[in-house]
Amino acid sequence: MKEKRDTLNRRTFMGGTLGAAAGIGAAHWLTGPAEAAAAQQGPPGTSASTGPGLYRLEADVRHCEVRGAIPSDLNGAFYRVGPDPQFPLVDGNIPFDGEGHVSMFRIKDGRVDYKSRFVRNDRWLAQDAAGRILFPMYRNPSMDDPSVAGLSRSTANTHIINYKNMLLALKEDSPPSAMDLLTLETLVPNYTFDDLLPSRTFTAHPKLDSETGNMVAFGYEATGHGSDVVSMFEFTPDGERVWDATITVPYVGMLHDFAVTRRYIIFYVIPMAFDAEQMANGGIHWSWDSTQPTYFGFVRRDGDGSDVRWIEGPTRSATHVMGAFSDDDRIYVDVEMSMSNPFPFMPMRDGAAWNPVAGASHITRLSVDLGPSTPQSYSIEQMYPHQGALPRQDDRYNTAPYRYGFLACPDPYAESRREARACYARFDHQTRQDTLYRSEEATSLAECCFAPRSADAPEGSGYLMGLATRNDQNRRSDLVILDAEHLDEGPVATVMLPMRAPGQVHGWWVPESQMPG
Ligand code: V55
Ligand code: FE
C-alpha cells in the first residue's frame, strides 16, 4: 500500500486553494472533484475505508438564495455529475470509480431550485440492497461479486446530457442510464437506444452536429473488455440511427473523448493503456505506458470505416477536446495536452513516480495536413500558457469552426503559484487573447459550462456558469453565473447553497425549450 500512500501525499501536496484552481497535474480533479476525491480518501496515512468524506447527501433546496439577479433570458437547467462512492472505495481503487451523483440547478423566471440524486441504476440498486460494494475495482469485472454477473457495471458518473426528453448519465464502459429531467428519478437503468446501440459501451463525450442536431457518438472496447474495436454511430434527435461503422485501434488506450468535424471523426490514442496483467492481479483497467507512442486517427463520417488513417506521434496525454474543425486542407483538434500521465492516481507501468509538471495540461492545437494521401505526422502547437483541464466551448459549435473556448485554470498572471486564484478563462482563438474571471480567495472552481442567450445568439454570447467551492466555509458551494462576454466583471448572479454540493466531473446546460412542459 505504499503506492496508495504516495498518491495521497501527492494529492495533499497539490491540495489547498491553488490546486483547487485546476492547475496542477490532476487538473481534472482539482477543479473540484479532486478535492472531493481527496476528502473521500481521507488525510495522508488514513486508509480509504476509514477516511472521512463519502458525500451521499441527496438534497432538495427550494427557492435558493441568490446574490445579484438571475438574468431574465437564462431559463433551463444546469446539471452536474461526479463520482460519489456509495460505500468506501477499497484499497487500490481510484476516485473514478465512485457511483454517479447527479445534481441540478433548475432556473426559471428568476427562481432557482436545487436537487441532487444518485443514479439508481443496476449497480447502485444491487449494492444498496446488499449494503456493501459488489463491484470493487475500476473497470475490472473479474473482481465482481458473483451475484452481479451480467449486470451493467456502469457508475454513470462522468458526464450528463439530455436526449429525447431524458437525462443520460454517462460512463464510457457501459450504456447510459436515463433519468427524468425534472425529478432525477432513474427511468431506464441501462439505456440501449431501443436496442439500436451497436456497441457494449457508450462514450461520455457524444457530440451534437452543428447543422443537423444529430448526436454523433462512439463506444470503445466495443465488443468487451480490452477489445480493440471502436464502434461509431449517429442518431437523429428522435432516436433514429442513421449511420454506424467500426474501426480498430493500433493499441487499446483510453479513448475518453473524440472530435467530430463536418467530414471526419477523429480519435487520439494515448498510452493510458489497457493493462491485462494488472487486472489479473486484481488492479484497475489502465496504467500509463511511457513506451507507447500516440496515434492520431481520422475517418470519414459517411464511410464504412475502412478509410481510417493512423498517424504516429510522440508520447503525450490528451483527455478532452475543446473544439475541432476541418477544411479542405487540414483537420484541427484543440485538446488539453500533457507530456505524461495527468492523473496522480493512475499507476505508472514503469514504476516511476507521478510527475506533476509532466502531468500538467495546456490547451494545444493538433493538426494534420490532408494534402498527402498518407500524412506522416501531426503538428502540436501549445496555444496558451494557462494550465488546466476540462476545456469547454459553445456546444452549438461542436462540429463547426469555432472561435471561443472556456477553461477553469489558476490565474496565469499571479505573482506566485501560491497566490494564484481559481479563474475561468475565455479564449478568443482569432486574437489569441484571454479574458479572466478571478474568483474569491480560498475558492475552487469546477469545470464551467456555457449557456447561449438564445438559440440563435452569436457564438459565445450568453452565460458561463460553474460551481465554486468555498474552502474557508466548510466547503459550501455557490453556483456562479457570469456574462460570458464580460468574465472580468464578475458574477451577474451567485446561487448560494447552504451546504457543499457533490463533486463534479462534467456539467451540461439544458435550455428551457428542451425541458419538459
Ligand atoms: C475520465 C473520468 C472517468 C473515467 C475516465 O476525466 C476518464 C476523465 C470519472 O470517470 O472513468
Ligand atoms: Fe470527460
Side-chain angles (χ1 to χ4, degrees):
M1 284 298 93
K2 170 158 191 317
E3 255 174 57
K4 177 113 198 168
R5 203 156 46 241
D6 285 351
T7 300
L8 290 168
N9 287 340
R10 270 183 245 130
R11 204 176 274 124
T12 305
F13 154 69
M14 293 183 302
T17 54
L18 167 60
I24 322 178
H28 293 78
W29 290 83
L30 288 175
T31 39
E35 295 232 332
Q40 280 155 7
Q41 301 228 342
T46 66
S47 91
S49 54
T50 57
L54 301 188
Y55 181 79
R56 304 194 300 183
L57 171 67
E58 298 180 304
D60 285 282
V61 182
R62 293 165 62 79
H63 298 282
C64 292
E65 211 180 319
V66 177
R67 211 187 306 133
I70 299 292
S72 58
D73 53 1
L74 185 67
N75 293 288
F78 177 53
Y79 297 93
R80 315 161 54 246
V81 67
D84 181 8
Q86 195 177 353
F87 299 99
L89 296 172
V90 307
D91 279 349
N93 204 0
I94 61 171
F96 279 1
D97 210 34
E99 282 67 26
H101 192 157
V102 173
S103 53
M104 165 179 71
F105 290 87
R106 173 72 172 116
I107 302 176
K108 195 174 182 187
D109 301 329
R111 170 179 171 178
V112 186
D113 293 329
Y114 169 88
K115 182 189 285 294
S116 91
R117 293 291 183 275
F118 271 105
V119 184
R120 284 166 165 70
N121 61 6
D122 298 344
R123 173 189 180 114
W124 191 94
L125 292 169
Q127 294 190 149
D128 187 62
R132 63 188 177 90
I133 293 183
L134 303 173
F135 302 82
M137 194 54 59
Y138 177 76
R139 297 185 68 178
N140 185 346
S142 73
M143 300 299 284
D144 291 352
D145 189 272
S147 66
V148 297
L151 284 191
S152 169
R153 305 188 80 258
S154 179
T155 48
N157 69 5
T158 311
H159 197 10
I160 188 133
I161 59 161
N162 63 311
Y163 184 68
K164 281 183 72 179
N165 217 23
M166 294 183 297
L167 192 61
L168 303 185
L170 307 175
K171 181 72 177 183
E172 65 202 57
D173 66 354
S174 302
S177 298
M179 306 170 85
D180 184 283
L181 280 157
L182 291 174
T183 66
L184 302 186
E185 183 193 342
T186 300
L187 303 171
V188 189
N190 194 45
Y191 179 64
T192 55
F193 297 78
D194 301 317
D195 294 329
L196 291 174
L197 182 62
S199 170
R200 283 160 69 163
T201 59
F202 184 93
T203 178
H205 289 283
K207 300 288 181 276
L208 297 178
D209 186 287
S210 301
E211 287 159 58
T212 64
N214 284 358
M215 183 177 70
V216 183
F218 72 99
Y220 72 97
E221 302 192 29
T223 59
H225 283 262
S227 114
D228 64 359
V229 178
V230 178
S231 165
M232 310 172 291
F233 37 88
E234 179 166 341
F235 282 94
T236 66
D238 296 332
E240 188 192 345
R241 194 180 73 199
V242 291
W243 174 73
D244 75 297
T246 60
I247 56 171
T248 58
V249 279
Y251 68 87
V252 182
M254 182 193 275
L255 290 184
H256 180 67
D257 197 351
F258 76 145
V260 182
T261 72
R262 183 181 282 184
R263 287 164 56 190
Y264 295 102
I265 288 180
I266 298 108
F267 292 104
Y268 192 58
V269 180
I270 60 165
M272 187 64 76
F274 178 72
D275 192 332
E277 191 183 324
Q278 184 172 274
M279 287 174 72
N281 290 325
I284 68 163
H285 200 85
W286 307 116
S287 62
W288 179 262
D289 182 356
S290 60
T291 67
Q292 292 272 25
T294 48
Y295 288 94
F296 183 106
F298 61 102
V299 58
R300 287 190 66 96
R301 268 178 68 179
D302 51 1
D304 63 2
S306 60
D307 59 298
V308 67
R309 276 174 283 177
W310 293 106
I311 308 170
E312 191 178 315
T315 304
R316 292 284 188 281
S317 181
T319 305
H320 290 106
V321 172
M322 179 183 266
F325 49 97
S326 59
D327 55 28
D328 289 340
D329 302 325
R330 290 187 91 86
I331 295 174
Y332 301 88
V333 183
D334 300 340
V335 297
E336 60 185 22
M337 174 161 276
S338 56
M339 301 299 288
S340 179
N341 177 6
F343 304 111
F345 45 80
M346 287 295 193
M348 303 290 285
R349 199 173 292 191
D350 62 8
W354 182 78
N355 179 341
V357 175
S361 300
H362 299 89
I363 301 303
T364 302
R365 179 159 286 183
L366 309 182
S367 69
V368 165
D369 184 352
L370 295 170
S373 62
T374 314
Q376 295 300 308
S377 63
Y378 62 86
S379 307
I380 302 177
E381 179 213 353
Q382 185 183 312
M383 300 176 79
Y384 302 98
H386 308 56
Q387 201 176 291
L390 304 168
R392 294 297 295 258
Q393 69 174 163
D394 178 336
D395 284 309
R396 297 173 299 166
Y397 290 76
N398 275 185
T399 66
Y402 79 111
R403 177 168 177 179
Y404 302 109
F406 303 98
L407 183 73
C409 56
D411 184 348
Y413 312 111
E415 289 287 314
S416 74
R417 222 30 208 278
R418 279 210 140 277
E419 283 152 58
R421 297 202 184 172
C423 292
Y424 287 140
R426 169 188 169 108
F427 299 108
D428 179 342
H429 295 332
Q430 194 162 306
T431 61
R432 295 284 175 109
Q433 299 295 307
D434 69 328
T435 312
L436 288 181
Y437 159 59
R438 289 186 175 82
S439 68
E440 285 86 351
E441 272 178 54
T443 291
S444 324
L445 293 175
E447 179 208 52
C448 53
C449 184
F450 175 79
R453 202 174 295 283
S454 64
D456 55 4
E459 183 188 357
S461 175
Y463 301 98
L464 193 73
M465 62 188 83
L467 198 89
T469 300
R470 311 302 184 186
N471 297 307
D472 54 357
Q473 297 174 41
N474 203 19
R475 304 176 74 224
R476 198 184 56 75
S477 302
D478 287 334
L479 180 68
V480 294
I481 300 172
L482 303 140
D483 182 327
E485 293 170 297
H486 301 282
L487 294 189
D488 50 337
E489 293 176 3
V492 295
T494 303
V495 180
M496 301 171 70
L497 292 181
M499 75 298 175
R500 168 160 76 98
Q504 169 186 350
V505 181
H506 294 296
W508 187 249
W509 172 254
V510 179
E512 190 62 36
S513 60
Q514 296 173 31
M515 292 298 289

